[in-house]
Amino acid sequence: MATAVPVERDAVARALPGEAAEVRLPGALLCRTAGWDLLAAGVGPALAAASTAGALTAAALEGAPYDLVVCAGIGGGFPPEAPVGSLVVADAITVADLGAETAEGFLPVTELGFGTVTHRPPQAAVRLVSEATGARTGTVLTVSTVTGTAARAAALRARHPGALAEGMEGFGVAEAAAAHGVPVLEIRAVSNPVGPRDRAAWRIGDALTALTEAFGKLAPPLESWKPYDR
Protein backbone atom coordinates (compact mmCIF):
# COMPACT_ATOMS: atom_id res chain seq x y z
CA MET A 1 0.00 0.00 0.00
CA ALA A 2 1.43 3.39 -0.91
CA THR A 3 0.66 6.99 -1.56
CA ALA A 4 2.43 8.92 -4.28
CA VAL A 5 3.04 12.41 -2.96
CA PRO A 6 4.04 14.91 -5.63
CA VAL A 7 5.73 17.92 -4.02
CA GLU A 8 5.91 21.32 -5.66
CA ARG A 9 7.90 24.38 -4.75
CA ASP A 10 7.09 26.78 -7.56
CA ALA A 11 5.42 30.16 -7.28
CA VAL A 12 1.97 28.95 -8.34
CA ALA A 13 -0.48 28.78 -5.42
CA ARG A 14 -2.26 25.44 -5.51
CA ALA A 15 -4.56 26.07 -2.53
CA LEU A 16 -5.12 28.73 0.07
CA PRO A 17 -3.18 28.31 3.35
CA GLY A 18 -5.00 25.96 5.68
CA GLU A 19 -7.36 24.74 2.97
CA ALA A 20 -7.41 21.59 0.89
CA ALA A 21 -9.15 21.00 -2.40
CA GLU A 22 -10.05 17.73 -4.07
CA VAL A 23 -9.18 17.38 -7.74
CA ARG A 24 -10.59 14.46 -9.71
CA LEU A 25 -8.19 12.94 -12.21
CA PRO A 26 -8.85 9.98 -14.51
CA GLY A 27 -9.03 7.04 -12.12
CA ALA A 28 -7.65 8.92 -9.11
CA LEU A 29 -8.39 11.64 -6.58
CA LEU A 30 -5.83 14.33 -5.76
CA CYS A 31 -5.93 16.27 -2.50
CA ARG A 32 -4.38 19.69 -3.11
CA THR A 33 -2.96 21.71 -0.18
CA ALA A 34 -0.83 24.84 0.10
CA GLY A 35 2.45 22.97 -0.26
CA TRP A 36 1.72 19.33 -1.09
CA ASP A 37 -0.46 17.48 -3.53
CA LEU A 38 -1.44 14.10 -2.08
CA LEU A 39 -2.45 11.28 -4.38
CA ALA A 40 -3.74 7.86 -3.29
CA ALA A 41 -1.97 5.94 -6.03
CA GLY A 42 -3.52 2.52 -5.42
CA VAL A 43 -2.02 -0.93 -4.95
CA GLY A 44 0.53 -2.39 -7.34
CA PRO A 45 3.06 -0.91 -9.76
CA ALA A 46 0.73 -0.60 -12.76
CA LEU A 47 -1.99 1.41 -11.00
CA ALA A 48 0.60 3.49 -9.14
CA ALA A 49 2.33 4.33 -12.42
CA ALA A 50 -0.92 5.24 -14.14
CA SER A 51 -2.16 7.42 -11.26
CA THR A 52 1.16 9.20 -10.88
CA ALA A 53 1.49 9.78 -14.61
CA GLY A 54 -1.99 11.29 -14.68
CA ALA A 55 -1.15 13.73 -11.89
CA LEU A 56 2.17 14.69 -13.45
CA THR A 57 0.61 15.21 -16.86
CA ALA A 58 -2.22 17.33 -15.44
CA ALA A 59 0.25 19.53 -13.57
CA ALA A 60 2.42 19.96 -16.65
CA LEU A 61 -0.60 20.96 -18.75
CA GLU A 62 -1.52 23.54 -16.11
CA GLY A 63 1.95 25.06 -16.44
CA ALA A 64 2.88 24.12 -12.87
CA PRO A 65 5.02 20.97 -13.11
CA TYR A 66 6.23 19.22 -9.99
CA ASP A 67 9.78 19.41 -8.67
CA LEU A 68 9.73 16.07 -6.85
CA VAL A 69 7.58 12.98 -6.34
CA VAL A 70 7.61 11.10 -3.04
CA CYS A 71 6.20 7.59 -2.94
CA ALA A 72 5.32 6.88 0.68
CA GLY A 73 3.65 3.90 2.28
CA ILE A 74 4.04 0.81 4.40
CA GLY A 75 5.79 -2.38 3.41
CA GLY A 76 7.78 -5.39 4.50
CA GLY A 77 11.23 -5.07 6.03
CA PHE A 78 14.11 -7.52 5.76
CA PRO A 79 15.19 -8.54 9.27
CA PRO A 80 17.26 -7.76 11.16
CA GLU A 81 18.29 -4.56 9.32
CA ALA A 82 14.75 -3.15 8.96
CA PRO A 83 12.62 -4.20 11.95
CA VAL A 84 8.89 -3.64 12.26
CA GLY A 85 8.14 0.01 13.03
CA SER A 86 11.32 1.34 11.42
CA LEU A 87 11.58 3.67 8.44
CA VAL A 88 13.46 3.08 5.20
CA VAL A 89 14.26 5.67 2.53
CA ALA A 90 15.35 4.19 -0.78
CA ASP A 91 18.73 4.96 -2.27
CA ALA A 92 17.68 2.60 -5.08
CA ILE A 93 14.17 1.70 -6.23
CA THR A 94 14.40 -1.71 -7.89
CA VAL A 95 11.75 -3.89 -9.48
CA ALA A 96 12.44 -7.42 -8.25
CA ASP A 97 10.23 -9.63 -10.40
CA LEU A 98 10.22 -8.04 -13.87
CA GLY A 99 11.97 -10.51 -16.13
CA ALA A 100 11.94 -14.21 -16.93
CA GLU A 101 12.29 -17.47 -15.05
CA THR A 102 14.80 -19.81 -16.68
CA ALA A 103 16.32 -23.19 -15.89
CA GLU A 104 19.36 -21.30 -14.58
CA GLY A 105 17.26 -18.96 -12.42
CA PHE A 106 15.63 -15.55 -12.70
CA LEU A 107 16.77 -13.09 -15.37
CA PRO A 108 15.91 -9.40 -14.92
CA VAL A 109 14.37 -7.64 -17.88
CA THR A 110 17.63 -5.77 -18.54
CA GLU A 111 19.38 -9.07 -19.28
CA LEU A 112 16.68 -9.75 -21.85
CA GLY A 113 17.64 -6.53 -23.59
CA PHE A 114 14.76 -4.33 -22.43
CA GLY A 115 14.05 -1.39 -20.15
CA THR A 116 15.49 -0.73 -16.73
CA VAL A 117 15.13 -2.28 -13.30
CA THR A 118 16.42 0.46 -11.00
CA HIS A 119 15.79 4.16 -10.45
CA ARG A 120 18.13 6.07 -8.15
CA PRO A 121 16.73 8.96 -6.10
CA PRO A 122 18.87 12.10 -5.64
CA GLN A 123 21.57 11.26 -3.09
CA ALA A 124 21.38 14.65 -1.40
CA ALA A 125 17.62 14.36 -0.87
CA VAL A 126 17.97 10.81 0.45
CA ARG A 127 20.60 11.95 2.93
CA LEU A 128 18.57 14.94 4.15
CA VAL A 129 15.38 12.92 4.60
CA SER A 130 17.24 10.09 6.34
CA GLU A 131 18.88 12.50 8.77
CA ALA A 132 15.60 14.29 9.51
CA THR A 133 13.50 11.15 10.05
CA GLY A 134 16.03 8.65 11.36
CA ALA A 135 15.27 6.35 8.42
CA ARG A 136 17.68 3.70 7.30
CA THR A 137 18.84 3.92 3.68
CA GLY A 138 19.02 1.04 1.24
CA THR A 139 17.34 -0.60 -1.71
CA VAL A 140 13.55 -0.82 -1.65
CA LEU A 141 12.27 -3.60 -3.88
CA THR A 142 9.03 -3.37 -5.84
CA VAL A 143 7.14 -6.65 -6.18
CA SER A 144 3.82 -7.52 -7.77
CA THR A 145 3.34 -10.41 -5.33
CA VAL A 146 4.04 -9.88 -1.63
CA THR A 147 6.70 -12.24 -0.32
CA GLY A 148 5.15 -14.97 1.83
CA THR A 149 7.81 -17.67 2.22
CA ALA A 150 11.29 -17.93 3.68
CA ALA A 151 12.58 -19.33 0.36
CA ARG A 152 11.41 -16.32 -1.65
CA ALA A 153 12.77 -13.91 0.97
CA ALA A 154 16.16 -15.64 0.80
CA ALA A 155 16.13 -15.57 -3.01
CA LEU A 156 15.39 -11.83 -3.03
CA ARG A 157 18.18 -11.12 -0.56
CA ALA A 158 20.59 -13.23 -2.61
CA ARG A 159 19.79 -11.23 -5.76
CA HIS A 160 19.61 -7.90 -3.94
CA PRO A 161 22.02 -7.90 -0.96
CA GLY A 162 21.37 -4.21 -0.28
CA ALA A 163 17.61 -4.61 0.01
CA LEU A 164 16.03 -3.34 3.22
CA ALA A 165 12.33 -3.39 2.33
CA GLU A 166 9.76 -4.37 -0.27
CA GLY A 167 6.63 -2.62 -1.45
CA MET A 168 4.29 -2.83 -4.43
CA GLU A 169 4.34 0.65 -5.95
CA GLY A 170 7.71 2.39 -5.86
CA PHE A 171 9.03 1.33 -9.25
CA GLY A 172 5.75 2.23 -10.97
CA VAL A 173 5.84 5.70 -9.42
CA ALA A 174 9.51 6.06 -10.36
CA GLU A 175 8.82 5.06 -13.98
CA ALA A 176 6.12 7.71 -14.28
CA ALA A 177 8.35 10.34 -12.68
CA ALA A 178 11.26 9.45 -14.94
CA ALA A 179 9.07 9.81 -18.02
CA HIS A 180 8.40 13.40 -16.93
CA GLY A 181 12.00 14.08 -15.93
CA VAL A 182 11.02 14.53 -12.26
CA PRO A 183 13.19 13.13 -9.43
CA VAL A 184 11.62 10.64 -7.05
CA LEU A 185 11.96 9.47 -3.45
CA GLU A 186 10.50 6.39 -1.77
CA ILE A 187 9.84 6.11 1.96
CA ARG A 188 8.54 2.96 3.64
CA ALA A 189 7.43 2.33 7.20
CA VAL A 190 7.88 -1.35 8.01
CA SER A 191 4.67 -3.12 8.99
CA ASN A 192 5.85 -6.72 8.80
CA PRO A 193 8.97 -8.81 8.28
CA VAL A 194 9.64 -10.10 4.76
CA GLY A 195 9.29 -13.85 4.97
CA PRO A 196 6.66 -16.44 5.90
CA ARG A 197 3.20 -14.86 5.76
CA ASP A 198 1.96 -14.33 9.32
CA ARG A 199 -0.88 -11.83 9.67
CA ALA A 200 -0.58 -11.98 13.46
CA ALA A 201 2.90 -10.45 13.17
CA TRP A 202 1.75 -7.45 11.13
CA ARG A 203 1.79 -4.09 12.87
CA ILE A 204 0.04 -1.86 10.35
CA GLY A 205 -1.05 0.67 12.98
CA ASP A 206 2.50 1.09 14.26
CA ALA A 207 3.81 1.50 10.72
CA LEU A 208 1.21 4.13 9.85
CA THR A 209 2.06 6.01 13.04
CA ALA A 210 5.75 5.97 12.13
CA LEU A 211 4.93 7.15 8.61
CA THR A 212 2.75 9.98 9.92
CA GLU A 213 5.51 11.13 12.26
CA ALA A 214 8.01 11.03 9.38
CA PHE A 215 5.73 13.21 7.24
CA GLY A 216 5.77 15.82 9.97
CA LYS A 217 9.55 16.04 9.57
CA LEU A 218 9.76 16.09 5.77
CA ALA A 219 9.13 19.76 5.01
CA PRO A 220 12.43 21.26 6.30
CA PRO A 221 14.79 18.85 4.50
CA LEU A 222 12.81 18.97 1.26
CA GLU A 223 12.63 22.76 1.37
CA SER A 224 16.40 22.93 1.79
CA TRP A 225 17.02 20.45 -1.05
CA LYS A 226 17.27 21.83 -4.59
CA PRO A 227 16.61 19.81 -7.76
CA TYR A 228 20.19 20.32 -8.92
CA ASP A 229 21.50 18.80 -5.64
CA ARG A 230 21.86 15.25 -6.88
Side-chain angles (χ1 to χ4, degrees):
M1 179 170 61
T3 301
V5 186
V7 180
E8 63 165 17
R9 288 194 303 275
D10 57 25
V12 179
R14 310 289 290 206
L16 295 175
E19 295 183 359
E22 291 186 348
V23 179
R24 294 200 173 276
L25 300 173
L29 182 66
L30 189 82
C31 180
R32 179 159 289 165
T33 71
W36 303 72
D37 281 1
L38 307 178
L39 177 73
V43 177
L47 184 55
S51 300
T52 304
L56 290 168
T57 299
L61 291 175
E62 291 174 1
Y66 295 110
D67 294 322
L68 175 69
V69 174
V70 181
C71 177
I74 63 176
F78 286 94
E81 293 88 352
V84 171
S86 65
L87 291 168
V88 175
V89 58
D91 58 16
I93 301 170
T94 298
V95 61
D97 50 12
L98 181 62
E101 291 288 351
T102 73
E104 289 74 35
F106 177 80
L107 289 179
V109 70
T110 48
E111 294 191 24
L112 303 176
F114 304 102
T116 185
V117 294
T118 295
H119 291 281
R120 296 195 178 276
Q123 293 181 4
V126 170
R127 183 181 67 254
L128 289 169
V129 169
S130 175
E131 292 172 351
T133 62
R136 296 162 171 80
T137 61
T139 300
V140 176
L141 302 178
T142 297
V143 295
S144 295
T145 301
V146 174
T147 300
T149 66
R152 178 174 162 85
L156 289 177
R157 286 303 295 268
R159 293 205 305 265
H160 308 282
L164 292 185
E166 72 170 23
M168 299 182 73
E169 296 79 26
F171 187 78
V173 172
E175 286 276 83
H180 282 263
V182 180
V184 64
L185 291 177
E186 183 175 10
I187 301 172
R188 292 281 165 182
V190 177
S191 59
N192 58 278
V194 176
R197 186 173 175 83
D198 179 10
R199 290 292 298 270
W202 292 9
R203 297 292 181 268
I204 292 177
D206 293 344
L208 290 174
T209 296
L211 191 63
T212 300
E213 292 176 353
F215 259 72
K217 301 173 182 176
L218 280 184
L222 293 183
E223 287 172 358
S224 67
W225 174 78
K226 304 301 180 187
Y228 49 79
D229 294 335
R230 295 294 174 140

